[in-house]
């Protein structure tokens, strides 16, 4: 009976570890951090003005997604408009901090 209990504990640890790993991988997917910015609002000191995400979903807007930027005070700078350039190809993990939102 002690042997059965030991196996149960081992399988529980393995399954629990797999669950933690799956959660970590899904939380840090291949999508880079992005902000919706107004392309016409660039300021040489601050960068692009961050606007509501809904503006990037409209084709009539001058807003676009800006990836992996430094965000401060409602402005985003030092990023890229190219999603493929922003994707972290270095393996597991998140390429930056922050969240998609606006």
């Amino acid at each position: 009976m002690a042997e059965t209990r030991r196996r149960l504990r081992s399988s529980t640890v393995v399954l629990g570890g797999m669950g933690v790993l799956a959660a970590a991988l899904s939380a840090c997917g291949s999508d880079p951090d992005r902000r919706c910015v107004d392309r016409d609002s660039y300021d040489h000191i601050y960068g692009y003005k961050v606007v509501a995400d809904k503006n990037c979903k409209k084709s009539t807007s001058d807003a676009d997604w800006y990836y992996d930027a430094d965000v401060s005070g409602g402005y985003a700078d030092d990023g890229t408009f190219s999603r493929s350039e922003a994707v972290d190809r270095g393996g597991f993990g998140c390429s930056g901090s922050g969240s998609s939102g606006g």
Side-chain angles (χ1 to χ4, degrees):
M1 183 146 180
E3 188 175 324
T4 303
R5 189 174 294 158
R6 190 175 309 131
R7 285 184 187 163
L8 178 60
R9 287 182 190 157
S10 296
S11 63
T12 302
V13 170
V14 170
L15 291 175
M18 290 175 67
V20 170
L21 179 61
L25 291 176
S26 65
C28 295
S30 62
D31 287 335
D33 182 44
R34 69 181 184 179
R35 298 288 193 263
C36 184
V37 299
D38 181 355
R39 278 187 172 260
D40 294 333
S41 70
Y42 186 76
D43 180 278
H44 293 287
I45 296 172
Y46 300 110
Y48 292 97
K49 178 74 175 159
V50 176
V51 296
D53 288 358
K54 66 182 179 182
N55 293 310
C56 285
K57 297 173 184 172
K58 297 178 184 176
S59 60
T60 58
S61 174
D62 288 332
D64 203 353
W65 293 114
Y66 195 55
Y67 298 95
D68 283 346
D70 295 331
V71 181
S72 178
Y75 286 86
D77 199 15
D78 295 327
T80 179
F81 286 104
S82 171
R83 183 186 179 279
S84 61
E85 285 180 23
V87 173
D88 180 18
R89 299 182 191 278
F92 296 121
C94 298
S95 60
S97 62
S99 63
S100 300

